[in-house]
Amino acid sequence: MTDPRARGVLSGDPRAVARALRLVDDRRPGHLDLLKALWPSTGKAWILGVTGNPGAGKSTLTDRLIGAYRGRGQRVGVIAVDPSSPYTGGAILGDRIRMARHALDEGVFIRSLATRGHLGGVSRSTRDSVRVLDAAGFDVVIVETVGVGQDELAITRTAGSTLVVMAPGMGDEVQANKAGLLECADVFAVNKADRDGADAAVRDLEMMIALGAPAAGAWLPPIVKSVATLGQGVDEVVSALDRHRAWVQETPAGVERSRRRLGDEMRDALGEALIEAALGALAPSIDRAVKDVEDRVIDPYTATERLVASFRGADAEPAAPA
Ligand SMILES: Nc1nc2c(ncn2[C@@H]2O[C@H](COP(=O)(O)OP(=O)(O)O)[C@@H](O)[C@H]2O)c(=O)[nH]1
Ligand SMILES: [Mg+2]
């Protein structure tokens, strides 16, 4: 390991980790070299996505999960793709002594990522940030993201397990978004179970899951009621997540799911890289082709085929139109 930045991350030095996260998040020069150097040391952390509608209680529940994992002696990294998420680091709110201890707890690292504008940007920099924390030796890396919008939901495909947090009585916004959340859920928490409608929300979810006609061997997402503010149901959420992790790691269907997701990620990245490479290499030929198409020397379909053929031949000069 020659890269000093990578050495700093691997040693778990919080300042080196913070620097690496900034480098990766801003996609500054050298960030890919760092990620390459870290790759062999990744794959040990359990990645947990926490998503759901705004206000459902994701941050409050995440805070409880931090406490639960710390209680088992695990180190926890958190990436909140929502700068407004308040965390105490698993402390009981109002208990200043505990809060102070967690604030100094080297076993917890919390980082907020601003949501970037361009499509794919959030999920990619989140995924890379997760890998930095994985390499830094955190046992669990939690990613909190609002479950609204494609890019936010795409983040959950990076996770080993995704916890979808729902709250009863959130009405139409939840209904509109439910299909997307259902698709990415490995475990459901019906949070705010101290409010009316929690049982109805559970039944509603059960019905939606059954309607999805799950295949044999498929994972059926368990539904757990919780009151995150009081810490109720947290142990049940943790054990449902543990069971899901075992399914992912120990069953053929689970192993296959992970492989498929890695394949999807690589195909996406390759697609972007190929487009960039092709458009760059072909730039002068494209300009000429546009002119020829405009002059009716060639049709746009043949011109496109020739440009592709010339890129395939690693030759940026397409054949002259016949
Ligand atoms: N009554 C009740 N309120 C909760 C519960 N969990 C969270 N809240 C409150 O709901 C609000 C939104 O919580 P937050 O965790 O920030 O939601 P997020 O937007 O999903 O991250 C806060 O005021 C929490 O105190 C719960 O189980 N019951
Ligand atoms: Mg939040």
Side-chain angles (χ1 to χ4, degrees):
M1 181 66 53
T2 47
D3 190 326
R5 292 167 312 184
R7 270 203 308 275
V9 170
L10 294 180
S11 74
D13 169 24
R15 275 180 312 177
V17 173
R19 265 198 307 272
L21 287 173
R22 274 196 302 275
L23 186 78
V24 165
D25 192 24
D26 296 342
R27 310 194 75 72
R28 283 206 291 260
H31 81 279
L32 283 178
D33 290 333
L34 175 64
L35 289 167
K36 288 175 193 173
L38 293 178
W39 179 257
S41 308
T42 61
K44 296 189 225 40
W46 189 245
I47 316 302
L48 172 58
V50 177
T51 191
N53 290 78
K58 297 179 297 297
S59 300
T60 314
L61 192 54
T62 296
D63 209 39
R64 293 289 180 178
L65 292 174
I66 298 169
Y69 291 125
R70 288 302 291 144
R72 308 207 287 210
Q74 293 178 297
R75 300 179 67 222
V76 186
V78 178
I79 293 171
V81 191
D82 174 4
S84 69
S85 292
Y87 287 112
T88 61
I92 293 167
L93 289 163
D95 183 337
R96 283 168 187 278
I97 295 164
R98 264 190 68 118
M99 270 170 71
R101 193 170 71 213
H102 277 291
L104 297 173
D105 186 349
E106 289 236 332
V108 179
F109 187 102
I110 296 166
R111 156 107 180 161
S112 287
L113 281 189
T115 44
R116 292 276 149 75
H118 63 285
L119 189 72
V122 188
S123 48
R124 186 168 51 190
S125 61
T126 305
R127 185 179 61 222
D128 291 340
S129 300
V130 163
R131 285 173 177 163
V132 170
L133 294 182
D134 183 350
F138 290 96
D139 301 294
V140 181
V141 178
I142 302 177
V143 180
E144 181 195 336
T145 168
V146 177
V148 182
Q150 261 195 327
D151 202 27
E152 273 72 19
L153 286 175
I155 293 172
T156 64
R157 280 201 292 276
T158 311
S161 300
T162 295
L163 173 67
V164 170
V165 183
M166 307 280 239
M170 288 183 74
D172 294 345
E173 45 174 331
V174 179
Q175 295 302 330
N177 198 26
K178 214 182 248 174
L181 289 175
L182 198 72
E183 203 175 305
C184 69
D186 298 313
V187 175
F188 279 106
V190 173
N191 191 46
K192 304 197 181 182
D194 52 331
R195 295 199 177 163
D196 287 343
D199 289 321
V202 170
R203 279 195 302 274
D204 197 33
L205 281 174
E206 280 169 349
M207 210 169 70
M208 294 216 28
I209 293 166
L211 283 175
W219 170 260
L220 284 179
I223 305 165
V224 182
K225 284 194 284 184
S226 65
V227 184
T229 38
L230 301 176
Q232 288 169 8
V234 174
D235 290 347
E236 288 78 2
V237 171
V238 167
S239 79
L241 290 168
D242 285 345
R243 275 183 284 131
H244 182 256
R245 177 181 187 163
W247 178 82
V248 170
Q249 293 181 329
E250 292 159 25
T251 71
V255 170
E256 172 55 28
R257 183 180 95 152
S258 304
R259 183 172 304 138
R260 201 173 51 238
R261 287 179 172 191
L262 186 58
D264 288 344
E265 178 201 324
M266 290 187 56
R267 267 182 289 274
D268 285 350
L270 187 61
E272 274 178 43
L274 282 173
I275 287 170
E276 202 175 305
L279 292 181
L282 295 171
S285 316
I286 295 170
D287 290 343
R288 271 199 302 279
V290 170
K291 179 88 179 54
D292 290 343
V293 170
E294 191 181 34
D295 295 345
R296 300 299 186 277
V297 174
I298 190 171
D299 65 85
Y301 317 101
T302 307
T304 301
E305 283 167 5
R306 288 195 180 152
L307 286 164
V308 170
S310 90
F311 183 67
R312 277 225 173 99
D315 171 6
E317 290 303 305

